[in-house]
Amino acid sequence: MDRLISLSKNKDFQRLYKKGKSFVSPVLVVYVLRNHKQTVRIGITTSKKIGNAVLRNRSRRVIREAFMSISERVQPGFDLVFVARGKTPYIKSTGLADNMLKQLRMAGLIIR
């Protein structure tokens, strides 16, 4: 996957929060819901509870980089929303990728 397809509309995020299945860890929350496309679309949210703008932007960058490293293994046809938690800005993308892989494996989205 060369380029990420992002969720940008509030209604898409709300649909995932209400109807999606969530997988929680101390570092990240993942909401998963099937879409009717053959692509994986992702959304990333960080609240002010994470910290100032620098920490929130770092959290988004780390989540995006972690997902890019495992995106080839994710089954297409799903929308994902990643919600940063308090520990997210302090972890490296490789550690987060392992955690993300574990959560997506529990969701049944990992191909190989």
Side-chain angles (χ1 to χ4, degrees), residues 65-103:
E65 183 58 37
F67 183 76
M68 288 298 290
S69 69
I70 66 167
S71 64
E72 296 297 324
R73 300 175 68 180
V74 178
Q75 180 180 342
F78 286 89
D79 288 344
L80 306 171
V81 170
F82 298 105
V83 180
R85 306 226 27 211
K87 295 181 182 181
T88 307
Y90 305 106
I91 191 169
K92 295 198 182 261
S93 63
T94 54
L96 187 63
D98 293 339
N99 195 333
M100 192 182 289
L101 196 59
K102 183 177 168 185
Q103 287 176 301

Side-chain angles (χ1 to χ4, degrees), residues 4-20:
L4 290 178
I5 300 171
S6 297
L7 295 172
S8 57
K9 297 189 189 271
N10 186 31
K11 68 178 184 177
D12 291 332
F13 282 88
Q14 294 302 321
R15 184 175 54 88
L16 262 91
Y17 293 143
K18 289 179 184 168
K19 296 182 181 179

Side-chain angles (χ1 to χ4, degrees), residues 26-105:
V27 181
L28 190 68
V29 179
V30 180
Y31 288 90
V32 177
L33 187 64
R34 183 175 293 279
N35 64 24
H36 298 292
K37 299 168 177 54
Q38 285 301 318
T39 59
V40 175
R41 300 187 307 170
I42 71 162
I44 300 172
T45 60
T46 56
S47 71
K48 287 192 175 184
K49 292 179 185 178
I50 302 301
N52 61 13
V54 173
L55 292 176
R56 292 194 306 269
N57 285 330
R58 174 169 166 66
S59 297
R60 285 190 284 271
R61 279 195 317 269
V62 168
I63 291 170
R64 197 175 305 114
E65 183 58 37
F67 183 76
M68 288 298 290
S69 69
I70 66 167
S71 64
E72 296 297 324
R73 300 175 68 180
V74 178
Q75 180 180 342
F78 286 89
D79 288 344
L80 306 171
V81 170
F82 298 105
V83 180
R85 306 226 27 211
K87 295 181 182 181
T88 307
Y90 305 106
I91 191 169
K92 295 198 182 261
S93 63
T94 54
L96 187 63
D98 293 339
N99 195 333
M100 192 182 289
L101 196 59
K102 183 177 168 185
Q103 287 176 301
L104 293 176
R105 189 170 284 126

